[in-house]
Amino acid sequence: MKQLRHFLITAVIVAALTAGIGLLLEAVIDRMPLGASVQAGFIESLLVKHFWVIAFLFSLIGGFLLYSIFAFRQKKGELEDGDYLEGNLPLELVWTIVPIGVVIWFAFLGGQSLTSMETVDRAALRVNVTARQWSWSFEYPEYGISSEELVLPVDDQVLLRLRSTDVVHSFWVPEFGPKQDLLPGGEVRELRINPTEPGGYTLACAELCGRQHALMLADVQVMTRADFENWVEMKVAENPCAIGDQVGCGQKLAQDSGCLACHSVDGSENVGPTWLGIYETEEMMSDGQMVMVDEAYLIQSIREPGAHIVMGFENVMPATIADTLTDEDILAIIAYIESLR
Ligand code: CUA
């Protein structure tokens, strides 16, 4: 009778603690930036289930402990040892079988979520994402346009094809849920996202990738299909490379290739020499040689970044930066540098 009373009281304590802690953890989840894509929904639902299991286990241990402290306190004048307990087969069976069942259930849910996250929509919009130290660029091969911000139509699947030109980076928009690493060496990784909420987000690099890792961010815009089509039209119309504007084209290529992440165009200090006024000046190289910054020097510096380094700078420019640039592209970039006086 007494045992039943202890059991009932602890059951009530554990249930109340579980409810309280579970609701608190749910409130924490509500404050996290989750839930702007179909994929984030799967992650969120798994997270909520895990948090409830955590709340229960914490309450189970904490509740028994708390109750024991008061109910089984040593009484005044009580000096003998407590009862000696030896094993309890039914209890041991329960606490072995139930957790195994829970772990298997979560493995099943995890597998199910992974499969659902990789559901392929054949009509998905393709976007090629390039990461480099330390910027992002996005290319829309179906439209022949590129951009520094990732613009996506809401409710349609996007197939992101991710690659890196130098070191390992990681694509992560917290509101979209999953993260995907981008690997160098020409390997392309894929990530499928179905954005569900129009709005502005931030893409962050989630892999320590060097000096400016923390600043390797890009804007993400999710908009209605109609707004997206308008944006594409605007991008197509403003592409200077398509209308023979060499300086404008060079500026765009410099932007898209990530040059401007390290080279300022206003004279301010950065990782690399500023481009303002550098054309046709003599610069002291790190080996003490004086070199004229002309077309030949710039072509070499873009094709083989380590060949001649301006005194006071380190060579951190990715050797593969020019892999996607044609000779014409490089001449356009040089025309842009020449225009910066
Ligand atoms: Cu790229 Cu961190």
Side-chain angles (χ1 to χ4, degrees), residues 229-242:
E229 305 274 340
N230 285 339
W231 175 81
V232 168
E233 245 173 65
M234 192 193 75
K235 272 283 177 191
V236 170
E238 75 182 18
N239 184 352
C241 300

Side-chain angles (χ1 to χ4, degrees), residues 131-136 166-170 204-210 212-214 216:
R132 66 184 77 74
Q133 287 170 316
W134 293 273
S135 65
W136 299 92
D166 37 46
V167 297
V168 180
H169 301 275
S170 184
C205 177
E207 184 75 58
L208 185 61
C209 59
Q212 296 195 43
H213 155 73
M216 193 171 159

Side-chain angles (χ1 to χ4, degrees), residues 78-106:
E78 194 180 48
L79 291 170
E80 16 2 313
D81 287 339
D83 290 342
Y84 180 71
L85 294 176
E86 199 201 310
N88 183 324
L89 188 65
L91 195 58
E92 282 163 21
L93 283 176
V94 167
W95 79 40
T96 306
I97 293 167
V98 171
I100 289 177
V102 171
V103 168
I104 292 174
W105 179 56
F106 269 108

